C-alpha cells in the first residue's frame, strides 16, 4: 500500500461534514502527534498554573501615608483686642 497517495484529511464516516487527520499519511500522523503534545503541555501548564495561566501577582494592601501633622505651637502673646 502506498501511503503517499493517502490524503492528509479524511471525511468523517458519521454523516457529518467534519474531517479528521489521516494516520495513514505521514504528515497526518505528524499532525496527530504534534496536537497531542501541544494539548498535553497546555493541560500540564493549566494544572500547575504556570506559563500563560500564571495568576497576576497580588497587590499589597493599601496603607495610608504616615500621619505627620502637628498642632501649631501656642502663641506667647495673648490674642489681640
Amino acid at each position: 500500500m502506498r501511503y503517499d497517495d493517502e490524503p492528509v484529511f479524511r471525511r468523517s464516516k458519521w454523516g457529518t461534514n467534519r474531517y479528521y487527520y489521516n494516520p495513514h499519511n505521514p504528515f497526518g500522523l505528524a499532525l496527530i502527534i504534534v496536537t497531542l503534545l501541544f494539548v498535553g503541555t497546555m493541560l500540564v501548564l493549566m494544572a500547575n498554573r504556570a506559563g500563560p495561566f500564571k495568576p497576576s501577582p497580588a497587590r499589597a494592601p493599601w496603607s495610608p501615608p504616615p500621619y505627620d501633622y502637628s498642632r501649631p505651637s501656642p502663641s506667647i502673646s495673648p490674642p489681640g483686642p
Side-chain angles (χ1 to χ4, degrees):
M1 181 184 214
R2 293 216 30 197
Y3 293 122
D4 295 337
D5 295 337
E6 290 283 330
V8 176
F9 300 101
R10 293 189 110 181
R11 187 181 289 249
S12 174
K13 294 180 183 175
W14 290 85
T16 61
N17 287 330
R18 296 184 181 192
Y19 286 85
Y20 66 94
Y21 297 139
N22 184 5
H24 296 296
N25 184 308
F27 191 69
L29 184 61
L31 285 174
I32 291 170
I33 293 170
V34 167
T35 301
L36 289 175
L37 289 174
F38 178 76
V39 169
T41 303
M42 288 296 122
L43 287 174
V44 168
L45 288 175
M46 282 193 287
N48 293 330
R49 298 184 70 148
F53 306 105
K54 183 177 182 181
S56 58
R59 291 185 180 179
W62 181 78
S63 61
Y67 185 73
D68 289 339
Y69 179 75
S70 62
R71 294 184 175 184
S73 59
S75 63
I76 299 175
S77 63

